[in-house]
Amino acid sequence: MTEREIQALPGLSDDEVTELRKRHGFNELPDAERRGTFTIVLGVLREPMFLLLVACGLVYMLVGEPRDALLLLGFVIIMMGITIYQEGKTERTLDALRNLASPRALVIRGGSRFVIPGRELVPGDLVVLAEGERVPADGTLVWATSLSADESLLTGESVPVGKGPLDTLEAARIDMARPGGEDSPFCYSGSLTVSGQGLMLVRSTGGSTEMGRIGSALASVGEEATLLQKETGRIVKAIFAISLLLFVIIIAVYGLTRRAPSGVGGDWLGGILAGITFAMAMLPEEFPVVLTIFLALGAWRISRKNVLARRMSAVETLGAATVLCSDKTGTITENRMSIRRLWNGRDFYDLDAPEESGAGRIPESFHGLLEWGVLASRRDPFDPMEKAFVDLLNGGLIDEAHGHPAWEIVREYPLSRALLAVTHVWRRGDGERLAVAVKGAPEAIMDLCHLAEDRRAEISAIIGTLAEDGSRILGVASGELVQHTAEFELPSSQHDFDFAFRGLVGLADPIRPAVPGAIRQCGEAGIRVVMITGDYPKTASAIARRIGLENPDRVITGAELEAMEPKELASRIGDCQVFARVVPEQKLLLVRAFKYAKEIVAMTGDGVNDAPALKAAHIGVAMGKRGTDVAREASALVLLDDDFSSIVAAVRVGRRIFDNLKKAMAYIVSVHVPIAGMSLLPILLSWKEAALLPVHIVFLELIIDPACSIVFEGQPEEKDIMSRPPRKTTESLFGRRSLFISLGLGFTALACVLGIWYLAGVAGLPVETQRTLSFVTLIVSNLAIILSTRSWNSGLIASFAARNPAVPWVVGGAAAFLSFIVSLPFLRELFHFGEPGGAWILVACACGLASIAWFEGLKLVARLRGKSLL
């Protein structure tokens, strides 16, 4: 919300405007940024690498090397800047995701409706409450119909309570009471509307609500550690334990075997410096940082595909999904219903061929069918099917009088699991006679009309004809009652009415254009798509055939689901991708059956009754546009555009994230092997001089950190990413093959560095020059590993076709800085380097590049065999 929008809000006092400006951070943004940066800096100061660098600086000061101490301090500042940038980017990404995940509210301002984040509500707003949504603030009802709310979060009572409205003046004046109690006019933030609709006048928001006062509001997003985070934590602890043990051994060996520069006692300060150098080389500080950055930026990348990841675990699991269970309406189709075909019990009418009517209007003989269809719908409907009936009325295709605007609704019998039909009872203008309209599944309507078997068979044949093009078929019926007395009670069941069958209506919902292509991608990726719908089986088959599902004529109905044992159902769903006449509660049976069959299940849903299935699925996917808050809170992902193709795009991103994470982790292992080796071997082999000093390792970290967190995170996906089978959920970041390859790259690089050190020594070059050449080899092999492991399929040259903006900056920056260090005398002296000849530099570079030759050959063999190394 902008400052101008705040000023334009009606009915706000100066204090309320000030409070709203504060809540949105105007005039306070710099302070907020400073607090965020300060928190990040405190975190950096507690990092083990920072503490080791400070310790190194102190040792250098004690041994009389202030220049080295200041150089390390300069690198500390640079590393701190990089860390602040990386963590700040991650925090900004998480903040953006939290804003997307913020509860939304449908508010009426200035006579218009707006959907805004719940935190932007202010006292005096009018909020529309609907079934299945969470109340965004405390307020009083000014209008309601059959509204009930679950206030168990505040009262502990699990039974929903009914709500009754007040007039607007009284609602604004009366004091809010405590939660609980039947027919209360008060609604409370955090409670759930279980049924009905209402209009609420906002009285309190944020910390002033009942929930805020009792401290139940969530102040931050907290998440349980994911499987990858747990695995990474175990690896880091193991390496840390080994490093600590070797750290102590190195200090002891160094102090006991070497004399101090003064000639008195052992060189314990040198031992501490050597131990710290080795610890810096071994410390896998990049692992948790990389995992955090990949998951946070991965969730952001998925959100760019119109999918909000509410739980980080979903980012991991996406690439392992084997079954995508999708609703048809609104996900596979556009949820934009229009009436296309009619049958009034005798004749057909096709709205796609209006010339048959002769005047562009629907013939009078079909008006009765549509009249009762309109009466079985709400006046101001949300449901697309009901909108289709009302649109015909408002569009002038039938007489406006058929809407009966003067009639008053008495009671609604909602759709239920037992009866797939909606009944409305209306009081006519004369006040005595009651009109009853019902629409729903054709078999339910035939059952309510108590039709004879021959008539049922005739209608069933007509249904098959209408459903052949994928239309959704509804039956319509009507009835009449006479209200004899004021105490007259309506029947408790729809079966107690005497209905007359009026006909059938065929509604069309266009398929989203991207869906057939997305389903083909799923098939290539080894993911089975399952369509779930409440439609008639023949309608479901026709839609399945049009979108490209396999075995479209193989349909299991909701009634059949209920009748099967879990084991039988798990065996029968193996070749079935279409489930028709399914109610939301039966989705849970499907989830359990797929899980019983060892599948990794993604399930879509939007209603309150979908929540159990969304919660039970490995990946629950709620609808962002038409979904209820209950469904969204039970899910791991939210489709912001309700489009099935967005799920497939998210799966692609999920696979890319896991691939790149494996590459980054393999790179970290590879590059630490030669660094740790060149830190440890001089001590074990009693070399006179160390090959690597702390300043060299810090320089290497300046390459490693951005490489593993920026280069690999931004690497485009492999070409075959959607032609591989889904990965197993038990697959480790360090599988046997990837671990062997990464260790092989590391030990090859170590061998090359040792080879250059040995050759330079044999040639009689000074130790400083040996150190220079081995460092150049180490840097070049490091850069070569980055370039080669960007793709574990494509060759080194071909991988450059995959654009990655971070590569030129990281590789070019490292190469430029290395050339400065080697060529400028001042920097050579700071790094304790000698002056090598040009020929030796070329030999060192060639040796560094040669370290990846065997890996490039291995990728070539894998490509020739049509396999992937990942």
Side-chain angles (χ1 to χ4, degrees):
M1 177 174 278
T2 65
E3 289 190 88
R4 182 179 295 177
E5 288 172 330
I6 292 174
Q7 296 291 347
L9 290 175
L12 294 183
S13 66
D14 291 341
D15 290 341
E16 288 171 331
V17 170
T18 302
E19 175 63 27
L20 197 56
R21 285 170 55 83
K22 270 187 190 177
R23 193 184 310 159
H24 287 277
F26 295 115
N27 300 331
E28 294 188 348
L29 188 56
D31 289 340
E33 286 182 348
R34 280 197 293 273
R35 282 195 297 271
T37 303
F38 181 70
T39 303
I40 294 172
V41 171
L42 284 179
V44 173
L45 295 178
R46 292 194 293 266
E47 288 291 329
M49 183 61 74
F50 175 82
L51 298 176
L52 289 173
L53 287 170
V54 171
C56 276
L58 290 174
V59 173
Y60 274 125
M61 293 295 290
L62 291 173
V63 298
E65 295 287 349
R67 185 177 59 183
D68 288 341
L70 291 175
L71 181 60
L72 282 177
L73 179 61
F75 276 125
V76 165
I77 294 172
I78 294 173
M79 289 186 69
M80 187 178 292
I82 292 174
T83 304
I84 290 172
Y85 169 77
Q86 289 176 338
E87 295 197 11
K89 183 177 180 181
T90 303
E91 285 300 317
R92 289 191 297 273
T93 300
L94 290 173
D95 286 342
L97 292 172
R98 289 188 188 107
N99 288 337
L100 281 174
S102 173
R104 320 301 280 180
L106 179 58
V107 63
I108 299 176
R109 288 176 177 170
S112 300
R113 295 184 179 189
F114 303 93
V115 178
I116 64 172
R119 64 179 181 279
E120 294 185 3
L121 288 171
V122 293
D125 275 337
L126 285 175
V127 175
V128 178
L129 302 179
E131 179 180 325
E133 295 183 356
R134 192 170 289 282
V135 179
D138 285 6
T140 45
L141 284 174
V142 297
W143 173 83
T145 174
S146 305
L147 186 68
S148 63
D150 176 3
E151 298 178 348
S152 57
L153 189 65
L154 298 169
T155 65
E157 296 294 333
S158 59
V159 178
V161 292
K163 298 292 179 180
L166 300 171
D167 64 69
T168 306
L169 192 61
E170 187 179 5
R173 187 175 57 242
I174 191 170
D175 292 334
M176 294 283 294
R178 298 302 300 271
E182 193 70 25
D183 292 327
S184 166
F186 307 112
C187 294
Y188 302 92
S189 176
S191 60
L192 288 169
T193 52
V194 176
S195 63
Q197 295 175 294
L199 193 61
M200 181 186 78
L201 178 69
V202 174
R203 303 288 300 279
S204 303
T205 61
S208 301
T209 64
E210 189 71 22
M211 180 178 284
R213 282 193 291 270
I214 66 175
S216 297
L218 295 175
S220 61
V221 178
E223 293 206 16
E224 181 184 354
T226 67
L227 292 175
L228 288 182
Q229 288 169 333
K230 292 175 182 177
E231 180 188 356
T232 304
R234 288 193 297 269
I235 294 170
V236 170
K237 288 177 182 176
I239 296 177
F240 181 79
I242 295 170
S243 302
L244 184 61
L245 178 62
L246 291 174
F247 171 77
V248 174
I249 292 173
I250 288 171
I251 294 175
V253 170
Y254 204 98
L256 292 173
T257 60
R258 303 195 182 197
R259 305 297 294 174
S262 61
V264 180
D267 190 4
W268 294 103
L269 280 178
I272 292 173
L273 192 60
I276 291 175
T277 303
F278 174 77
M280 291 169 62
M282 279 288 290
L283 192 67
E285 64 162 3
E286 298 91 357
F287 282 165
V289 173
V290 164
L291 192 60
T292 300
I293 289 174
F294 269 61
L295 291 180
L297 293 182
W300 171 74
R301 290 187 186 280
I302 289 174
S303 73
R304 296 180 70 187
K305 303 297 182 182
N306 289 317
V307 180
L308 172 64
R310 296 188 68 255
R311 299 187 182 93
M312 287 299 180
S313 58
V315 179
E316 295 179 22
T317 315
L318 267 173
T322 59
V323 174
L324 293 183
C325 297
S326 174
D327 290 319
K328 177 188 75 70
T329 304
T331 308
I332 289 176
T333 62
E334 295 181 0
N335 199 25
R336 187 169 48 84
M337 287 285 187
S338 59
I339 295 174
R340 309 316 310 155
R341 303 182 74 184
L342 302 171
W343 184 67
N344 61 7
R346 299 177 304 278
D347 303 317
F348 289 96
Y349 181 75
D350 190 343
L351 273 77
D352 291 324
E355 64 276 2
E356 295 179 10
S357 67
R361 286 170 57 88
I362 296 174
E364 188 68 31
S365 59
F366 293 91
H367 284 203
L369 166 63
L370 293 172
E371 174 183 9
W372 292 105
V374 169
L375 291 172
S377 307
R378 294 184 178 181
R379 298 279 195 198
D380 184 17
F382 292 95
D383 184 271
M385 286 188 294
E386 295 193 340
K387 281 184 177 180
F389 282 96
V390 176
D391 286 346
L392 280 185
L393 179 69
N394 296 336
L397 293 180
I398 60 173
D399 293 335
E400 187 176 338
H402 288 306
H404 300 286
W407 287 13
E408 177 187 354
I409 191 166
V410 178
R411 181 173 175 180
E412 176 183 344
Y413 294 82
L415 187 80
S416 69
R417 183 175 181 176
L419 186 65
L420 299 175
V422 175
T423 300
H424 286 174
V425 181
W426 297 87
R427 181 174 289 110
R428 296 174 181 264
D430 56 22
E432 292 184 1
R433 290 184 302 157
L434 300 177
V436 188
V438 60
K439 72 176 187 312
E443 56 266 35
I445 301 301
M446 288 189 286
D447 187 38
L448 289 173
C449 294
H450 307 294
L451 299 179
E453 286 301 322
D454 57 344
R455 183 59 169 163
R456 284 174 179 258
E458 178 190 357
I459 295 174
S460 296
I462 299 297
I463 292 170
T465 301
L466 292 174
E468 283 176 354
D469 63 351
S471 296
R472 185 164 190 173
I473 311 303
L474 290 181
V476 177
S478 65
E480 187 176 275
L481 285 175
V482 177
Q483 185 175 345
H484 298 289
T485 64
E487 293 78 22
F488 176 79
E489 291 187 4
L490 290 170
S492 59
S493 170
Q494 299 175 66
H495 284 283
D496 296 330
F497 290 102
D498 186 14
F499 286 111
F501 185 78
R502 289 285 179 171
L504 299 171
V505 178
L507 299 99
D509 186 3
I511 292 171
R512 293 181 183 269
V515 167
I519 288 177
R520 280 195 302 273
Q521 285 187 34
C522 286
E524 294 168 358
I527 303 171
R528 185 150 62 102
V529 178
V530 170
M531 186 180 75
I532 302 171
T533 178
D535 284 348
Y536 190 72
K538 284 194 175 182
T539 301
S541 290
I543 296 293
R545 191 174 294 106
R546 288 166 60 189
I547 62 177
L549 290 184
E550 294 182 2
N551 305 320
D553 296 320
R554 177 81 174 87
V555 182
I556 295 178
T557 65
E560 291 173 324
L561 284 177
E562 293 275 7
M564 294 182 202
E565 293 293 327
K567 191 173 182 180
E568 180 190 1
L569 180 56
S571 65
R572 289 190 58 186
I573 60 176
D575 62 346
C576 182
Q577 292 181 248
V578 185
F579 294 85
R581 284 293 184 251
V582 174
V583 296
E585 293 89 341
Q586 291 167 342
K587 287 184 177 181
L588 184 58
L589 297 175
L590 277 175
V591 171
R592 287 173 175 167
F594 281 119
K595 291 174 92 173
Y596 187 87
K598 307 300 182 186
E599 304 279 6
I600 305 300
V601 190
M603 171 66 76
T604 68
D606 56 7
V608 176
N609 295 336
D610 289 327
L614 293 173
K615 194 76 173 176
H618 296 99
I619 308 169
V621 185
M623 301 298 108
K625 287 185 176 179
R626 69 180 192 277
T628 62
D629 284 346
V630 179
R632 283 192 286 267
E633 290 179 16
S635 65
L637 300 176
V638 178
L639 286 186
L640 301 180
D641 58 357
D642 294 3
D643 191 340
F644 174 81
S645 60
S646 296
I647 307 178
V648 182
V651 170
R652 176 184 287 272
V653 175
R655 290 189 173 193
R656 167 190 167 178
I657 291 167
F658 192 81
D659 269 10
N660 289 346
L661 191 54
K662 287 183 69 174
K663 295 173 187 176
M665 295 298 189
Y667 163 73
I668 293 170
V669 171
S670 300
V671 78
H672 274 279
V673 170
I675 298 173
M678 293 304 292
S679 301
L680 182 62
L681 286 176
I683 299 168
L684 297 180
L685 300 177
S686 299
W687 291 0
K688 291 181 180 180
E689 294 284 346
L692 288 179
L693 301 176
V695 67
H696 304 144
I697 294 175
V698 174
F699 179 79
L700 285 163
E701 289 294 335
L702 292 179
I703 301 174
I704 296 170
D705 279 355
C708 60
S709 60
I710 299 175
V711 171
F712 286 103
E713 195 284 326
Q715 183 64 23
E717 69 265 16
E718 301 280 1
K719 292 180 179 178
D720 68 337
I721 197 165
M722 290 300 281
S723 59
R724 302 182 215 145
R727 67 176 178 84
K728 296 179 180 179
T729 52
T730 55
E731 182 179 338
S732 171
L733 279 174
F734 296 103
R736 184 177 301 175
R737 180 169 56 188
S738 61
L739 183 59
F740 283 165
I741 289 175
S742 56
L743 288 175
L745 284 168
F747 280 110
T748 306
L750 176 58
C752 290
V753 174
L754 286 172
I756 286 292
W757 179 278
Y758 175 76
L759 289 175
V762 170
L765 298 178
V767 170
E768 289 79 6
T769 305
Q770 284 182 272
R771 184 182 290 131
T772 306
L773 292 172
S774 62
F775 188 74
V776 170
T777 306
L778 184 56
I779 294 293
V780 173
S781 65
N782 186 347
L783 297 179
I785 292 173
I786 292 174
L787 295 174
S788 184
T789 56
R790 286 171 59 214
S791 173
W792 283 45
N793 292 339
S794 303
L796 181 63
I797 304 300
S799 65
F800 283 100
R803 185 175 176 273
N804 188 333
V807 170
W809 288 101
V810 172
V811 175
F817 202 2
L818 179 62
S819 65
F820 293 152
I821 293 171
V822 172
S823 60
L824 298 178
F826 171 70
L827 291 177
R828 277 205 307 267
E829 190 177 351
L830 284 178
F831 276 78
H832 301 274
F833 283 163
E835 184 176 0
W840 276 104
I841 291 291
L842 291 176
V843 170
C845 291
C847 198
L849 290 172
S851 66
I852 61 167
W854 69 270
F855 181 58
E856 289 298 314
L858 190 64
K859 289 195 288 184
L860 176 60
V861 172
R863 287 199 302 275
L864 293 174
R865 292 182 176 179
K867 294 183 179 181
S868 173
L869 291 179
L870 273 176

